[in-house]
Amino acid sequence: MINTSSFYNALTLRGIDFFTGVPDSLLKDICAYISDNAPEDRHIIAANEGASVGLAVGNYLASGKPSLVYMQNSGFGNTVNPLLSIADDDVYGIPMLLLIGWRGEPGKKDEPQHVKQGRVSEELLKAMEIPYIVLNENTNIDSTLDEAIKVAVSEKKPFALLVRKNSFEKYKLLKDSTSSFPLDREGAVKLVIDQLKDDDIVVSTTGKTSREVFEYREELGQTHEKDFLTVGAMGHTSSIALGIAIEKKDRNVFCFDGDGSVLMHMGSLAINGMMKDVNNFKHIIINNGAHDSVGGQPTVAFDIDFSKIAEGCGYTSVASASNVEDIKNKIAEMASHKGRAFLEIKVNKGARENLGRPTTTPKENKTAFKKFLR
Ligand SMILES: Cc1ncc(C[n+]2csc(CCOP(=O)(O)OP(=O)(O)O)c2C)c(N)n1
């Protein structure tokens, strides 16, 4: 397996000392090593993967050195535009190394949202004319990085390292942060679901939130037709919820979002808030200050004021809560509010070890959900 410190040192030795990306579960050990060892202003966990490419472009213009941009292959889509229309050698020609976690690699069992993405990952890189090397546990780091950096720098273009599962050795984050709110995400999910009416619609975000929604319905002995699980398309959950709310004006639509997810495409808040005729849109952000589902890497969400942002974007009711009674009251208020209501629930990161995954397929979910909407 690749030792995280050897990989990091091999990069810095070759002049790559600026790191940016959005975390991925397959890359969590190398991300944790970078978090612990790179100076704070040289490691930026970006809002989305496209923004990381932007940071790498800017850094190259100013330093003349390529950066490392890490991401899950799910997030590669967010980079297509800045890679092709700025970094590409047909445009500005900006060298950088892309470190891409290969979820859904053919032949390896993975969740439905990763299967197609995994199958086409190599083809996508080829179509974009991005040279790449597949990294696995036996890869010789020195020769691989020599080759990757040589091509990136001499041909002035991005070069990708597509990383197989279990390529990196385990590394435990030392700079881990903790908080002491009464609830964790699952506690918040349960509290909100307990307060919903029978015809309320739920749209839940990517990662463990949707898994916890699914498992709580099972625990309650309920079926799953009330919930749309946004298993992919991180950051677009509230847009999906808004699309439903516009059409189903007589029913409340509750969006269960995450802080990483909201940050990823925060521009959508402005569009949600400005939908003046929409009175049934209820946006709940479960803020654990982290990308908890992929390893707990920090977001900036405990340091920014989501309520002020939502208010500024035109949401008509805005609140933040962390204790149980307060959350219950705020949910009751948002349910009866006629407008675009926003509630931030602050929680601790972390999840159960034995948290399962949906046992129904996305298509079964869609069919049941559409019927519930009718
Ligand atoms: C576009 C994209 N980038 C990255 C990922 C990998 N990913 C899945 S869940 C997740 C973290 C979500 O963080 P947040 O919304 O704060 O929810 P939490 O996991 O903390 O509950 C990430 C980065 C993804 N699925 N899609």
Side-chain angles (χ1 to χ4, degrees):
M1 278 186 160
I2 304 169
N3 177 272
T4 50
S5 119
S6 310
F7 187 75
Y8 178 84
N9 291 334
L11 286 169
T12 51
L13 246 175
R14 289 164 176 79
I16 296 190
D17 60 1
F18 186 81
F19 307 89
T20 175
V22 174
D24 167 35
S25 46
L26 296 194
L27 301 177
K28 77 172 190 290
D29 299 292
I30 184 63
C31 290
Y33 191 89
I34 295 170
S35 293
D36 276 346
N37 291 282
E40 252 172 46
D41 63 345
R42 307 206 65 78
H43 175 211
I44 314 291
I45 298 179
N48 62 61
E49 294 81 356
S52 287
V53 171
L55 283 159
V57 170
N59 189 271
Y60 172 77
L61 294 173
S63 72
K65 293 190 290 187
S67 305
L68 182 85
V69 177
Y70 61 80
M71 71 195 81
Q72 180 174 103
N73 54 349
S74 303
F76 186 65
N78 283 334
T79 69
V80 171
N81 170 253
L83 284 175
L84 288 181
S85 64
I86 287 287
D88 194 86
D89 55 335
D90 278 1
V91 192
Y92 281 109
I94 310 282
M96 66 184 74
L97 275 194
L98 309 173
L99 190 71
I100 307 173
W102 197 356
R103 293 291 304 259
E105 184 190 346
K108 294 194 179 153
K109 198 173 159 357
D110 211 330
E111 295 303 296
Q113 66 273 20
H114 294 298
V115 174
K116 175 78 161 258
Q117 184 86 50
R119 193 165 70 235
V120 303
S121 286
E122 286 186 276
E123 294 307 321
L124 274 176
L125 288 167
K126 285 179 196 158
M128 289 169 67
E129 298 170 3
I130 296 177
Y132 69 96
I133 294 175
V134 174
L135 230 70
N136 62 43
E137 55 182 344
N138 299 317
T139 298
N140 179 312
I141 285 311
D142 289 315
S143 55
T144 302
L145 289 182
D146 281 342
E147 166 72 9
I149 294 167
K150 188 182 86 198
V151 174
V153 171
S154 64
E155 297 182 22
K156 302 239 173 330
K157 55 165 67 158
F159 191 104
L161 302 171
L162 191 55
V163 184
R164 290 202 162 120
K165 197 173 176 179
N166 297 327
S167 292
F168 284 100
E169 275 175 13
K170 293 265 159 286
Y171 176 83
K172 193 167 161 20
L173 185 70
L174 304 173
K175 279 192 198 154
D176 209 3
S177 62
T178 52
S179 55
S180 52
F181 297 110
L183 296 176
D184 60 9
R185 182 191 47 238
E186 186 168 35
V189 162
K190 289 181 169 184
L191 198 61
V192 182
I193 288 184
D194 284 344
Q195 298 221 69
L196 298 182
K197 289 201 292 113
D198 270 355
D199 68 342
D200 285 343
I201 297 160
V202 172
V203 181
S204 59
T205 188
T206 317
K208 291 185 177 171
T209 307
S210 283
R211 291 163 61 184
E212 286 163 352
V213 167
F214 187 92
E215 292 233 324
Y216 193 44
R217 296 292 191 195
E218 293 275 301
E219 191 184 323
L220 294 171
Q222 299 178 358
T223 46
H224 302 283
E225 76 273 10
K226 294 174 181 166
D227 316 315
F228 184 81
L229 310 177
T230 313
V231 291
M234 178 176 163
H236 296 302
T237 315
S238 74
S239 300
I240 295 173
L242 180 66
I244 296 167
I246 290 168
E247 204 60 34
K248 293 281 155 193
K249 293 213 164 45
D250 54 337
R251 290 165 70 181
N252 277 346
V253 180
F254 282 85
C255 172
F256 295 5
D257 223 330
D259 48 292
S261 161
V262 170
L263 285 166
M264 184 163 272
H265 295 299
M266 202 149 75
S268 294
L269 294 190
I271 306 304
N272 301 341
M274 284 294 121
M275 294 299 299
K276 297 222 164 26
D277 294 333
V278 173
N279 291 320
N280 55 338
F281 181 73
K282 321 286 165 181
H283 196 172
I284 297 177
I285 296 188
I286 306 179
N287 182 2
N288 53 15
H291 290 277
D292 188 54
S293 302
V294 289
Q297 303 83 350
T299 67
V300 293
F302 281 161
D303 300 320
I304 63 168
D305 192 334
F306 273 131
S307 297
K308 276 193 187 152
I309 293 166
E311 194 179 1
C313 286
Y315 283 70
T316 47
S317 132
V318 167
S320 179
S322 58
N323 81 58
V324 172
E325 276 319 301
D326 210 13
I327 297 169
K328 281 188 183 166
N329 292 335
K330 299 275 165 40
I331 292 167
E333 280 167 29
M334 89 188 298
S336 59
H337 176 78
K338 296 274 169 268
R340 279 87 53 217
F342 179 92
L343 172 63
E344 173 192 37
I345 303 179
K346 287 192 177 164
V347 299
N348 303 322
K349 66 178 185 176
R352 274 185 291 129
E353 281 295 326
N354 63 348
L355 179 64
R357 295 179 182 276
T359 50
T360 54
T361 66
K363 293 231 172 74
E364 286 166 349
N365 180 214
K366 179 186 78 175
T367 305
F369 184 74
K370 284 181 73 187
K371 208 163 145 209
F372 175 68
L373 292 193
R374 280 203 299 277

